[in-house]
Amino acid sequence: MSSFATSNVVVFLVFLVSLINFKAEARRLAEPEQTEQPLLFQYHDGPLLTGKISVNLIWYGKFKPSQRAIVSDFINSATSSKPTVAQPSVATWWKATEKYYQLSKKPSSLVLSLGTQILDENYSLGTSLTNLQIEQLASKGAQKNAINVVMTSADAVVEGLCSSRCGTHGSASSSSNGHINGKSSKFAYIWVGNSETQCPGQCAWPFHQPIYGPQNPPLIAPNNDVGLDGMVINLASLLAGTVTNPFGNGYYQGPKEAPLEAASACPGIYGKGAYPGYAGDLSVDATTGASYNAHGINGRKYLLPALFDPSISTCSTLA
């Protein structure tokens, strides 16, 4: 088993180093007073995810249909080419990952689509989960040409959630003969936890008061759900990290055991002018007062993290 994930924290947090096999987190959590280091982003010659890849969603615990729709609409928005979607869009944000493919030694392409959704509303493995059990849940999805995403509900306690991370991504041994980009024995997976009641100040910022640093008022969540809108931020970060560093030898900065990836290399940045405690200049919905930076399908609005642009070696925001 190997896993690694991305971080999405405000820039004043120290990045916590996890020594569990190739593990990096969506928002790595630790203490304040970090000194920002130069970005030494590198390609480590490994494969990226390519071709047609399905994103399968495994819902563990209780989620309302409206909550599941927030996430499924996000995935569909990432690959939507509908001209009716206002700009900047989720698809525009996702298109930025193409630069990683263009700069790799074997330029290729990736097409994502929403795959199957699996519901486990009866907590088949209990309400307290280990890393191995997350991997077990991820294996329920198709393991060929896929990314399996495990979404755990607010009442599910997952090893490391809140104490060191908000989510993770990695790869695991496949139980089938399928393959992803020539990796016949592995499949890619993501886990994201709903931190609405457990640690929103760590994992749902800027939609909740942060636990460290400047105590600016929290922003209003664009889908009126602090937990799910926070999950979308973490999922977006991890999805970008998964496709550009699926097996631990793709694009990242820093040590392999705790890599900073496409989104986690730009912690706490959502709009221009961002600084510790301030997410940046964002659009505000005139009716709800919600902050966002990307439009999606079905009238959705989302807040998505900045991505590191490898062509100019800097973090790039949508607006």
Side-chain angles (χ1 to χ4, degrees):
M1 184 267 292
S2 63
S3 60
F4 31 82
T6 47
S7 303
N8 226 4
V9 281
V10 269
V11 292
F12 53 84
L13 299 182
V14 173
F15 292 107
L16 180 70
V17 176
S18 171
L19 299 179
I20 302 174
N21 297 332
F22 297 140
K23 223 176 268 288
E25 281 60 59
R27 309 197 197 206
R28 224 178 263 110
L29 310 175
E31 300 298 324
E33 300 179 5
Q34 164 185 314
T35 300
E36 190 170 5
Q37 299 298 318
L39 294 180
L40 302 175
F41 220 77
Q42 296 180 339
Y43 176 47
H44 297 79
D45 301 326
L48 312 184
L49 291 190
T50 60
K52 295 181 179 180
I53 301 292
S54 296
V55 179
N56 302 311
L57 302 177
I58 297 128
W59 299 94
Y60 190 81
K62 306 296 185 183
F63 287 93
K64 299 175 183 177
S66 59
Q67 293 180 313
R68 297 197 297 268
I70 293 171
V71 176
S72 60
D73 280 354
F74 165 69
I75 299 298
N76 282 326
S77 296
T79 55
S80 173
S81 58
K82 293 182 179 180
T84 55
V85 176
Q87 294 297 323
S89 67
V90 177
T92 301
W93 173 83
W94 182 250
K95 191 175 178 63
T97 61
E98 293 180 2
K99 294 183 179 181
Y100 288 84
Y101 290 80
Q102 295 165 359
L103 294 175
S104 66
K105 290 187 176 181
K106 295 181 179 179
S108 53
S109 62
L110 168 70
V111 178
L112 287 185
S113 63
L114 180 65
T116 59
Q117 298 194 53
I118 300 172
L119 305 185
D120 188 339
E121 298 181 307
N122 295 320
Y123 305 90
S124 62
L125 299 180
T127 57
S128 182
L129 302 173
T130 65
N131 292 323
L132 287 177
Q133 287 175 316
I134 289 295
E135 187 178 313
Q136 182 180 341
L137 289 171
S139 68
K140 290 186 175 185
Q143 297 172 19
K144 180 179 180 181
N145 299 327
I147 300 171
N148 293 336
V149 181
V150 178
M151 311 288 283
T152 53
S153 60
D155 56 347
V157 178
V158 180
E159 180 181 350
L161 177 62
C162 298
S163 64
S164 64
R165 57 187 181 158
C166 306
T168 191
H169 86 79
S171 62
S173 298
S174 175
S175 59
S176 69
N177 293 322
H179 68 278
I180 297 176
N181 197 32
K183 296 291 182 178
S184 59
S185 61
K186 293 182 178 181
F187 69 94
Y189 72 90
I190 292 171
W191 159 67
V192 181
N194 186 340
S195 60
E196 180 179 9
T197 57
Q198 296 184 54
C199 52
Q202 296 163 298
C203 298
W205 185 86
F207 303 128
H208 192 279
Q209 207 76 11
I211 58 170
Y212 299 123
Q215 296 297 301
N216 293 325
L219 303 180
I220 297 176
N223 294 287
N224 197 33
D225 192 313
V226 170
L228 266 292
D229 278 299
M231 291 183 86
V232 167
I233 290 176
N234 291 320
L235 174 58
S237 176
L238 290 165
L239 195 59
T242 297
V243 302
T244 57
N245 187 33
F247 305 113
N249 53 3
Y251 283 96
Y252 65 87
Q253 171 202 0
K256 184 177 181 178
E257 295 78 12
L260 296 181
E261 300 172 325
S264 57
C266 304
I269 302 174
Y270 299 92
K272 294 187 184 303
Y275 56 82
Y278 177 63
D281 300 333
L282 304 171
S283 298
V284 178
D285 187 282
T287 302
T288 65
S291 297
Y292 66 96
N293 60 5
H295 294 268
I297 63 171
N298 298 328
R300 294 282 188 191
K301 295 181 175 72
Y302 295 100
L303 184 63
L304 303 177
L307 295 179
F308 186 81
D309 187 334
S311 65
I312 56 176
S313 297
T314 191
C315 294
S316 178
T317 60
L318 273 172

